[in-house]
């Protein structure tokens, strides 16, 4: 009787076959198969060999970098060589994103009035916010302490380099916070903030350092019909598949990259994906679930990083979803209310909120887990979800004058998406600092 599977030829039988001087059909098929796989996955084959070479050449500068439990799955064995910019490491087993907020009278880290770069949509004190307590919280991880944000170390690291934030208005907030945290070290005539390309690109330059910190507006990362940095309030959003190079061409030669994208995918409806070009007369559009659309965006980003960022010299970060606080009932408040007039944070450590954040976080987890591309996740969603007190609410410059009806009901126009500066986003940058230097 024949066995159900033929056993694989052992190496000795292969040798003996070869010894007979005749190429067996077995061997020939195997050879064809290997050739086929090698062609299909040529790049990965090269990667595997490349990684091994690096492992040997840098063996004595090794240290394990998979320290935090949240990122250990995304930092696999092969990434345990020293990461660029690392000067140390976070304590073994400490997940810096898991912790609690503690009162700190030494905060804020800078004053609103001392940072001229904060856009008027985020200067809450200037726009009459009566309370200041939201600025006096420090994030305390459960397993270790965060390093202090060292502005001079950050600036020295950026000497001759280009750092860029790419994404939506929330990432713009993080960018501005980052600049605010270090600009005081640079004398007035040695620094500038300029915008280019109809405000798509904002560049902070530290002249004597020959360093730039930039923000590039691309709310979906991919090309979309919301790409105009000024006029982008489009209700019927369309994203073009496979179009990341449209914007990505402007991100070349960046040394430290910080991506985000989330809010714009949340239309509450299926997402419209354009398959051809925005110039096509008849546009081919398919509608997919928010999660599938977002997954497509994530994969495009990883592919762009793989093809354009050198993991031996550069670092890439991805900031997870910034939570909104639009419905008080989510945290046990009164129906019909939102973040307006909230001056304390949510105490329930398990609070997460009601919207689709969970399924999107799952997509991020899945896509990152499957990928070999070294990206550091800044998992700020949970720690920010407690902070219903930290939004700009009504204390900001309005895009258009408010109507008497709105004025009579502040809840109706409170911004429960963006964050006051100084404030919560300074903590995101402290975490970025921690992950950059102590991965
Ligand atoms: C900040 O970093 C610099 C090195 O760039 C170091 O000399 C200095 O001691 C650090 N400051 C603090 C407070 O750790
Ligand atoms: C300034 O930095 C850029 C990289 O951002 C580099 O290409 C250039 O050579 C630097 N110039 C000087 C004078 O150091
Ligand atoms: C704001 O909240 C306080 C309690 O924290 C409450 O006394 C006050 O009436 C609220 N103001 C408005 C306008 O809702
Ligand atoms: C981010 O943190 C949250 C809460 O700590 C966790 O549930 C989630 O799995 C983390 N996400 C990823 C992708 O690691």
């Amino acid at each position: 009787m024949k066995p159900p599977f033929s056993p694989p030829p052992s190496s000795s039988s292969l040798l003996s076959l070869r010894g007979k001087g005749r190429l067996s059909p077995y061997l020939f098929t195997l050879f064809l198969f290997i050739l086929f796989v090698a062609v299909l996955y040529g790049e990965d084959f090269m990667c595997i060999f490349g990684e091994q070479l690096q492992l040997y050449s840098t063996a004595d500068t090794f240290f394990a970098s998979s320290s935090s439990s949240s990122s250990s799955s995304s930092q696999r064995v092969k990434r345990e060589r020293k990461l660029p910019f690392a000067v140390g490491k976070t304590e073994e087993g400490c997940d810096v994103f898991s912790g609690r907020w503690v009162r700190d009278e030494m905060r804020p880290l800078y004053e609103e009035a001392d940072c001229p770069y904060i856009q008027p949509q985020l200067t809450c004190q200037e726009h009459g916010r009566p309370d200041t307590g939201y600025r006096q919280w420090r994030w305390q991880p459960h397993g270790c302490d965060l390093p202090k944000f060292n502005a001079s170390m950050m600036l020295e690291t950026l000497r001759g380099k280009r750092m860029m934030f790419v994404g939506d208005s929330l990432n713009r907030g993080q960018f501005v916070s980052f600049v605010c945290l270090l600009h005081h070290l640079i004398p007035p005539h040695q620094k500038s903030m300029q915008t280019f390309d109809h405000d798509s690109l904002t560049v902070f330059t530290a002249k004597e350092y020959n360093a730039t910190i930039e923000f590039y507006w691309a709310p979906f990362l991919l090309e979309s019909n919301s790409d105009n940095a000024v006029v982008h309030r489009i209700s019927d959003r369309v994203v073009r598949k496979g179009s990341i190079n449209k914007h990505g061409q402007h991100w070349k030669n960046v040394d430290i990259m910080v991506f985000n994208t989330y809010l714009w995918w949340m239309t509450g409806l299926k997402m419209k994906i354009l398959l051809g070009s925005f110039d096509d007369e008849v546009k081919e559009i398919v509608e997919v679930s928010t999660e599938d659309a977002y997954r497509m965006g994530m994969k495009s980003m990883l592919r762009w990083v793989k093809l354009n960022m050198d993991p031996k010299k550069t670092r890439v970060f991805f900031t997870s979803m910034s939570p909104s606080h639009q419905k008080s009932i989510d945290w046990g408040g009164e129906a019909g209310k939102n973040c307006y007039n909230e001056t304390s944070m949510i105490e329930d450590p398990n609070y997460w909120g009601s919207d689709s954040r969970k399924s999107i976080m799952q997509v991020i987890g899945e896509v990152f887990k499957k990928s070999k591309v070294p990206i550091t996740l800044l998992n700020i969603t949970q720690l920010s979800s407690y902070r219903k007190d930290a939004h700009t609410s009504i204390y900001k410059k309005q895009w258009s004058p408010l109507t008497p009806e709105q004025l009579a009901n502040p809840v109706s126009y409170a911004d429960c998406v963006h964050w006051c500066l100084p404030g919560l986003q300074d903590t995101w940058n402290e975490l970025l600092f921690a992950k950059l230097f102590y991965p």
Side-chain angles (χ1 to χ4, degrees):
M1 219 218 269
K2 265 190 171 176
F5 301 103
S6 352
S10 72
S11 58
S12 67
S13 73
L14 284 177
L15 279 175
S16 67
L17 280 170
R18 205 189 295 158
K20 283 179 191 155
R22 187 174 57 107
L23 194 56
S24 89
Y26 239 39
L27 261 184
F28 187 63
T29 318
L30 189 67
F31 171 73
L32 275 185
F33 179 72
I34 289 174
L35 192 70
F36 174 71
V37 171
V39 169
L40 248 189
Y41 299 103
E43 222 173 317
D44 288 344
F45 264 56
M46 291 310 289
C47 282
I48 292 165
F49 292 132
E51 288 296 341
Q52 278 177 351
L53 288 180
Q54 272 159 20
L55 288 184
Y56 287 119
S57 63
T58 60
D60 40 29
T61 60
F62 263 18
F63 56 72
S65 67
S66 51
S67 49
S68 80
S69 55
S70 78
S71 59
S72 60
S73 59
S74 61
Q75 294 179 332
R76 297 193 201 129
V77 185
K78 73 183 190 69
R79 236 161 275 137
E80 288 188 2
R81 62 172 184 271
K82 187 176 172 296
L83 287 167
F85 306 110
V87 299
K89 57 181 289 233
T90 298
E91 256 170 72
E92 200 74 39
C94 174
D95 175 1
V96 291
F97 305 108
S98 169
R100 66 202 163 91
W101 289 101
V102 296
R103 199 92 192 143
D104 183 352
E105 302 299 332
M106 300 304 284
R107 298 194 170 221
L109 295 172
Y110 54 90
E111 283 300 329
E112 184 183 288
D114 293 338
C115 186
Y117 310 110
I118 311 175
Q119 56 271 51
Q121 285 79 25
L122 305 183
T123 48
C124 297
Q125 294 299 315
E126 186 190 341
H127 290 91
R129 181 161 180 166
D131 57 312
T132 55
Y134 67 94
R135 313 187 307 174
Q136 291 178 318
W137 295 102
R138 176 172 61 77
W139 182 247
Q140 176 63 56
H142 288 312
C144 55
D145 290 330
L146 282 182
K148 207 169 160 318
F149 187 97
N150 184 332
S152 69
M153 180 174 167
M154 193 64 239
L155 260 178
E156 279 305 332
T157 302
L158 288 176
R159 198 178 277 282
K161 294 203 159 48
R162 187 176 185 204
M163 178 171 182
M164 188 183 253
F165 293 77
V166 174
D168 60 25
S169 56
L170 289 150
N171 215 19
R172 188 195 291 270
Q174 192 179 347
F175 155 73
V176 171
S177 155
F178 195 87
V179 172
C180 289
L181 284 167
L182 49 72
H183 86 98
H184 62 90
L185 291 180
I186 311 166
H189 55 283
Q190 293 277 10
K191 57 192 171 190
S192 67
M193 185 74 96
Q194 295 166 288
T195 58
F196 302 92
D197 298 330
H198 309 287
D199 288 359
S200 277
L201 182 66
T202 306
V203 179
F204 175 80
T205 307
K207 292 195 187 75
E208 67 175 318
Y209 290 88
N210 185 30
T212 60
I213 304 168
E214 313 180 23
F215 171 74
Y216 184 98
W217 168 262
F220 291 98
L221 306 183
L222 307 182
E223 183 184 12
S224 76
N225 64 350
S226 309
D227 287 346
N228 186 307
V230 183
V231 188
H232 49 236
R233 293 194 152 188
I234 290 165
S235 54
D236 198 24
R237 297 174 194 160
V238 180
V239 177
R240 181 161 78 90
K241 190 175 169 130
S243 61
I244 198 161
N245 285 329
K246 167 84 197 264
H247 298 306
Q249 60 180 318
H250 302 289
W251 314 334
K252 300 279 172 78
N253 305 317
V254 167
D255 299 283
I256 301 173
M257 185 70 142
V258 185
F259 288 110
N260 93 326
T261 186
Y262 165 60
L263 204 60
W264 288 71
W265 302 88
M266 300 300 120
T267 58
L269 304 165
K270 291 210 152 196
M271 191 72 218
K272 292 195 168 73
I273 307 293
L274 174 70
L275 299 179
S277 138
F278 277 106
D279 299 329
D280 292 347
E281 214 150 282
V282 181
K283 293 187 179 46
E284 194 184 350
I285 289 179
V286 293
E287 295 192 13
V288 302
S289 70
T290 304
E291 287 76 17
D292 285 346
Y294 193 80
R295 184 178 286 107
M296 176 196 77
M298 286 289 102
K299 285 183 172 171
S300 292
M301 175 184 78
L302 289 173
R303 192 172 155 71
W304 185 89
V305 169
K306 181 176 176 182
L307 296 176
N308 293 281
M309 300 291 287
D310 178 353
K312 293 198 274 318
K313 296 200 189 98
T314 68
R315 290 286 301 276
V316 182
F317 296 87
F318 180 79
T319 308
S320 64
M321 308 85 77
S322 172
S324 312
H325 293 87
Q326 313 272 22
K327 287 184 285 174
S328 293
I329 44 170
D330 288 351
W331 57 86
E334 250 178 274
K337 295 268 162 83
N338 57 22
C339 72
Y340 170 66
N341 198 28
E342 291 289 354
T343 54
S344 61
M345 71 177 79
I346 295 166
E347 305 280 351
D348 175 8
N350 297 315
Y351 176 77
W352 181 263
S354 71
D355 64 13
S356 48
R357 294 200 280 272
K358 206 151 233 165
S359 61
I360 291 294
M361 187 61 99
Q362 211 168 341
V363 172
I364 295 175
E366 286 163 13
V367 173
F368 278 29
K369 203 167 169 182
K370 277 190 210 144
S371 157
K372 293 195 213 94
V373 179
I375 296 197
T376 304
L377 179 67
L378 297 179
N379 191 350
I380 52 80
T381 307
Q382 180 79 56
L383 64 95
S384 306
S385 72
Y386 306 131
R387 299 301 309 276
K388 63 178 163 61
D389 60 318
H391 291 287
T392 52
S393 184
I394 62 169
Y395 309 108
K396 59 181 282 188
K397 184 181 175 190
Q398 303 297 333
W399 289 99
S400 42
L402 298 164
T403 64
E405 292 76 38
Q406 283 177 314
L407 285 170
N409 180 19
V411 169
S412 70
Y413 69 97
D415 179 342
C416 299
V417 171
H418 298 99
W419 310 97
C420 301
L421 283 186
L424 172 68
Q425 292 190 298
D426 303 323
T427 294
W428 298 4
N429 282 320
E430 291 178 277
L431 291 160
L432 170 61
F433 180 90
K435 282 290 180 186
L436 179 65
F437 293 114
Y438 306 91

